[in-house]
Amino acid sequence: MKQISELMGYRQGVKVVDATLRDGGLVNDFYFPDGFVKALYETNLKAGVDYMEFGYKADKEMFDVNKFGPCKFCDDDYIRSIVGENDTNLKIAAMADVGRCNYKRDIIEKKDSPIDLIRVATYINSIPAAIDVIEDSAKKGYETSCNIMAVSNVQEGDLKAALDLVGKTPVDVIYIVDSNGSIFPEQMARLADIFGEFAAKYNKKVGIHAHDNLKLAFANTVECVGDGVDFLDATYASMGRGAGNCAMELLLGFLHNPKYNLYPALQFIEKWMQPMKASGTTWGYDFQYLLTGILNQHPRTAIQYTKEKRTDLSNYYKEITAQE
């Protein structure tokens, strides 16, 4: 068992990453209410959050700019219109999704960009392509992370081989990503040990990005805190794809570092998140996401179930188990 001091105290190395705009943007095609993004930035400053992820660096030749809000593309000028020169301790992040971004064109030199961290999202079968994005971004002067998605579907031997490859790159942080929201804390502890082994070998940090299908996103994040994982993703009111993510308000309430402040998060949720949900924007734990989590499936069928406003849960269960 973990020592109580590991959870009662705090590590200076812990970093809180706000992923509300990026993961939450998957819920509403990145169309946030007027003033939302600026208010979120100011909230993160007051709450002591370490990184704010603005969205994706999506390829405009693949995605229609008229069908998505600006955080789908994270143009440098757009980010600068929110943060100015960002002369603060809050760092700015954007995600480069392997195969869905033109990183050589759209990720410019760090000295000309307000972005600090490029988060490279990859599946296990596209690790070589991810490494190219990491190396290109690092060469341009950015901090980088490698977010290995759907890790619950990866064989341990393949995972270790991938971690060994990624560890040899200039990447700063390697992320455990529970895309399906299917990992239990005991399994998460094992993954944290595996990732930690390679992080120690190559002098990297480890991060956790959890989904809430089984209502375990916060529990898994707390597990990782006790296991030495430093980069902790969260979203306000759990806003994110499908069942959502680890709730920022839970995480800020748990962490004992006095630099984090829960009260601004509560104010933001009251003014912005609750009205947005009341207006019909849908995310968060529900029975259909529970089922895909239990079955370790991608939540795409549950997302479609939700969009169709279906209530025939037992039929849906038969449908998705028939696919097994």
Side-chain angles (χ1 to χ4, degrees):
M1 293 181 64
K2 297 176 181 61
Q3 296 296 319
I4 190 68
S5 60
E6 293 176 344
L7 297 178
M8 290 298 293
Y10 67 88
R11 297 196 316 277
Q12 292 287 353
V14 165
K15 306 294 182 186
V16 172
V17 181
D18 169 34
T20 305
L21 293 178
R22 203 269 310 163
D23 216 316
L26 296 170
V27 170
N28 59 8
D29 291 331
F30 303 90
Y31 288 114
F32 292 95
D34 291 344
F36 181 97
V37 177
K38 182 68 171 180
L40 179 60
Y41 171 69
E42 292 173 349
T43 297
N44 281 326
L45 289 174
K46 294 174 185 175
V49 169
D50 299 284
Y51 289 81
M52 177 176 174
E53 187 178 39
F54 261 73
Y56 287 97
K57 275 285 188 183
D59 188 347
K60 293 178 181 177
E61 294 179 7
M62 294 182 68
F63 299 95
D64 187 344
V65 295
N66 297 310
K67 293 182 178 179
F68 299 94
C71 292
K72 177 75 171 179
F73 305 99
C74 282
D75 290 341
D76 294 280
D77 288 342
Y78 169 72
I79 295 175
R80 200 171 271 114
S81 74
I82 304 296
V83 308
E85 293 306 310
N86 189 35
D87 186 20
T88 74
N89 292 325
L90 175 65
K91 293 185 176 182
I92 305 302
M95 179 164 280
D97 199 353
V98 169
R100 297 185 174 191
C101 63
N102 188 332
Y103 58 95
K104 291 185 178 178
R105 179 193 67 199
D106 294 333
I107 298 177
I108 63 174
E109 293 288 331
K110 167 66 189 86
K111 63 183 177 62
D112 301 317
S113 172
I115 298 170
D116 301 288
L117 167 66
I118 298 295
R119 286 160 45 103
V120 181
T122 181
Y123 289 105
I124 198 78
N125 61 355
S126 55
I127 289 291
I131 289 173
D132 200 49
V133 184
I134 291 165
E135 290 178 341
D136 182 79
S137 299
K139 187 181 295 185
K140 290 172 178 173
Y142 294 93
E143 298 175 36
T144 57
S145 74
C146 183
N147 296 35
I148 303 177
M149 298 185 289
V151 72
S152 58
N153 288 328
V154 179
Q155 296 294 320
E156 188 170 306
D158 294 338
L159 178 61
K160 289 182 175 180
L163 291 171
D164 202 46
L165 287 171
V166 173
K168 295 172 183 175
T169 74
V171 78
D172 298 290
V173 189
I174 308 173
Y175 261 87
I176 307 165
V177 183
D178 183 14
S179 302
N180 297 345
S182 62
I183 297 174
F184 289 88
E186 295 84 357
Q187 297 167 304
M188 187 59 73
R190 171 64 179 161
L191 285 168
D193 284 346
I194 294 170
F195 276 69
E197 174 189 342
F198 286 90
K201 178 179 178 181
Y202 292 107
N203 195 28
K204 311 298 183 184
K205 298 291 188 180
V206 180
I208 169 66
H209 180 88
H211 279 265
D212 212 22
N213 298 62
L214 303 180
K215 286 195 170 184
L216 290 172
F218 175 59
N220 280 328
T221 303
V222 169
E223 175 66 44
C224 284
V225 172
D227 291 330
V229 172
D230 282 330
F231 278 67
L232 314 175
D233 281 18
T235 62
Y236 288 85
S238 293
M239 187 183 187
R241 185 209 65 202
N245 304 98
C246 175
M248 179 66 77
E249 57 276 17
L250 281 171
L251 185 59
L252 293 178
F254 165 76
L255 293 172
H256 301 285
N257 190 329
K259 78 173 182 177
Y260 298 121
N261 187 355
L262 175 61
Y263 188 70
L266 300 178
Q267 290 179 303
F268 181 80
I269 290 167
E270 179 182 347
K271 183 174 180 180
W272 294 98
M273 304 306 295
Q274 289 179 332
M276 185 162 54
K277 199 155 196 178
S279 71
T281 305
T282 303
W283 75 85
Y285 169 84
D286 211 337
F287 300 113
Q288 58 271 28
Y289 297 118
L290 161 71
L291 294 178
T292 58
I294 288 173
L295 295 170
N296 193 19
Q297 294 181 0
H298 191 283
R300 61 177 62 89
T301 60
I303 292 170
Q304 188 61 34
Y305 178 100
T306 306
K307 286 181 178 178
E308 294 173 0
K309 299 186 180 344
R310 289 175 60 180
T311 57
D312 57 331
L313 196 64
S314 55
N315 281 332
Y316 173 66
Y317 179 70
K318 287 188 287 185
E319 291 169 11
I320 61 176
T321 52
Q323 297 171 10
E324 289 290 286

